[in-house]
Amino acid sequence: MPRELDFFGVLLPGVLPVFLVAVLLQLVLDAALSYIGVYRRSWHPALVRLCTFVCIFSALLVTLYK
């Protein structure tokens, strides 16, 4: 994976595609957890969403940079 991506002359971080995939996966998982009703039973739903995203993003990075 390149360290930086050249996008029409603008240098973007190399982990940007991984970040975007993690955002999409988190949106799908967030919709499923909302439908099930997990957030009604959690103390702090925003914190659960943040921790879910961090776990997904870090798992993708670990598998990619292994």
Side-chain angles (χ1 to χ4, degrees):
M1 165 125 333
R3 192 164 179 87
E4 294 174 338
L5 301 171
D6 184 18
F7 185 70
F8 296 111
V10 177
L11 295 176
L12 300 172
V15 295
L16 183 65
V18 178
F19 179 81
L20 294 176
V21 169
V23 167
L24 291 175
L25 287 173
Q26 203 275 336
L27 287 174
V28 170
L29 186 62
D30 184 50
L33 291 177
S34 293
Y35 181 75
I36 293 171
V38 171
Y39 295 130
R40 282 183 278 152
R41 291 187 282 276
S42 69
W43 172 69
H44 204 293
L47 188 60
V48 173
R49 286 183 172 109
L50 176 68
C51 292
T52 304
F53 174 75
V54 169
C55 289
I56 291 171
F57 184 61
S58 61
L60 288 175
L61 283 179
V62 166
T63 59
L64 185 65
Y65 290 111
K66 193 173 181 183

